[in-house]
């Protein structure tokens, strides 16, 4: 074989390889985009690994117009995920694309052991980063730009937490600003005046919530909680 023929064969092989790579990049990019739209806002740096790419590419060769869908709906679309490929151009049977999905996430760990009912401070927790596959399934996750203060302000612990372990979901909640039976300072405000009286809460709530307070004269008024143990009469 002369040198010119060898060069032509090499160039042809490279063109086929480039074409196959471009073809794979096209359908894999579409699946990646679909998975990205289905995953939680707490995910960043989503990674995909395709388990049956050869079968997918063979199937796609017989279909000029196709669509990918995710049969299952999950807030945590990670691990082994099945994506359905439907051919819109022919009556070709659907194909199921198998993908391993992982993502980088941010989560909290306690800096000390905490008991239920403990009012927490930001110093009680650290923000850490890990692969989602490395964490327990029910780990409390932060959005990529979310600060810990957004979760920890006025928060209390609802279950025992061990230092240096991931904080699970539902382990923290906002502290109630008013509990049932608490003494509440009720403010009446008008044009240029403010009157304050004391009542008893007939419910519990957070700042911004409304509840009923029974005044010392036994009358009941609807109020809006504006602080811990403080409320304003709803006009």
């Amino acid at each position: 074989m002369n040198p010119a023929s060898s060069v032509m064969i090499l160039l042809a092989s490279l063109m086929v390889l480039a074409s196959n790579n471009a073809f794979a990049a096209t359908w894999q990019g579409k699946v990646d985009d679909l998975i990205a739209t289905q995953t939680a806002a707490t995910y960043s740096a989503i990674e995909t690994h395709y388990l049956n790419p050869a079968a997918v590419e063979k199937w796609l060769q017989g279909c000029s117009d196709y669509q990918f869908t995710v049969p299952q709906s999950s807030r945590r679309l990670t691990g082994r995920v099945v994506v359905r490929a439907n051919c819109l151009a022919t009556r070709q049977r659907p194909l199921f694309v198998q993908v391993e999905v992982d993502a980088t996430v941010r989560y909290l760990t306690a800096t000390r052991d905490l008991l239920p009912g403990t009012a927490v401070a930001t110093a009680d927790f650290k923000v850490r980063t890990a692969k989602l596959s490395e964490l327990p399934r029910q780990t409390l996750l932060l959005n990529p730009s979310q600060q810990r203060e957004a979760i920890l302000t006025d928060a209390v612990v609802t279950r025992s937490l061990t230092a240096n372990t991931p904080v699970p979901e539902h382990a923290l909640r906002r502290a109630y600003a008013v509990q049932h039976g608490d003494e509440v300072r009720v403010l009446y405000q008008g044009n240029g005046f403010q009157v304050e009286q004391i009542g008893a809460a007939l419910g519990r709530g957070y700042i911004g919530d409304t509840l009923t307070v029974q005044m010392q004269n036994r009358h009941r008024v609807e109020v809006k909680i504006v602080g811990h143990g403080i409320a304003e009469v709803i006009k």
Side-chain angles (χ1 to χ4, degrees):
M1 182 180 296
N2 59 54
S5 298
S6 299
V7 171
M8 292 299 293
I9 293 174
L10 178 60
L11 289 174
S13 299
L14 291 174
M15 290 178 65
V16 171
L17 179 61
S19 176
N20 289 340
N21 288 341
F23 180 59
T26 299
W27 70 261
Q28 289 181 7
K30 290 182 178 180
V31 176
D32 286 350
D33 290 343
L34 174 64
I35 290 173
T37 63
Q38 298 292 317
T39 53
T42 49
Y43 296 176
S44 62
I46 299 171
E47 301 175 3
T48 54
H49 173 65
Y50 291 87
L51 304 180
N52 60 337
V56 177
E57 290 166 11
K58 182 179 179 180
W59 183 91
L60 289 173
Q61 288 174 0
C63 182
S64 59
D65 187 14
Y66 54 88
Q67 181 184 49
F68 293 116
T69 58
V70 180
Q72 72 269 36
S73 177
S74 173
R75 185 168 54 88
R76 295 196 170 187
L77 194 64
T78 53
R80 181 165 293 191
V81 175
V82 175
V83 177
R84 180 185 175 110
N86 294 307
C87 185
L88 305 179
T90 68
R91 301 178 69 87
Q92 189 171 342
R93 294 180 62 183
L95 179 78
F96 293 95
V97 185
Q98 299 178 41
V99 196
E100 286 284 351
V101 182
D102 206 350
T104 300
V105 293
R106 299 167 69 239
Y107 65 102
L108 295 172
T109 60
T111 57
R112 60 188 178 96
D113 293 346
L114 297 169
L115 296 175
T118 303
V120 301
T122 54
D124 292 326
F125 296 88
K126 286 185 177 180
V127 178
R128 300 184 185 275
T129 302
K131 295 292 186 184
L132 188 63
S133 58
E134 301 170 353
L135 297 174
R137 183 168 180 80
Q138 299 301 320
T139 299
L140 175 65
L141 303 179
L142 281 69
N143 290 333
S145 60
Q146 188 176 22
Q147 300 300 311
R148 57 184 173 174
E149 288 81 3
I151 293 177
L152 301 176
T153 300
D154 290 329
V156 295
V157 177
T158 62
R159 56 187 292 183
S160 296
L161 297 178
T162 303
N164 301 315
T165 59
V167 175
E169 293 178 337
H170 312 302
L172 297 168
R173 67 164 174 80
R174 291 168 57 197
Y176 289 111
V178 174
Q179 292 274 12
H180 187 279
D182 280 357
E183 183 179 276
V184 181
R185 292 169 52 203
V186 178
L187 308 178
Y188 298 80
Q189 298 194 33
N191 293 328
F193 73 92
Q194 175 176 299
V195 177
E196 177 180 318
Q197 293 186 357
I198 301 298
L202 299 181
R204 63 184 183 183
Y206 306 107
I207 293 175
D209 288 348
T210 60
L211 55 76
T212 302
V213 173
Q214 181 168 288
M215 308 306 295
Q216 293 176 335
N217 60 7
R218 314 300 292 178
H219 289 167
R220 296 184 177 186
V221 295
E222 294 297 312
V223 299
K224 179 179 180 180
I225 303 172
V226 295
H228 289 272
I230 306 173
E232 293 180 347
V233 173
I234 299 175
K235 299 177 181 179

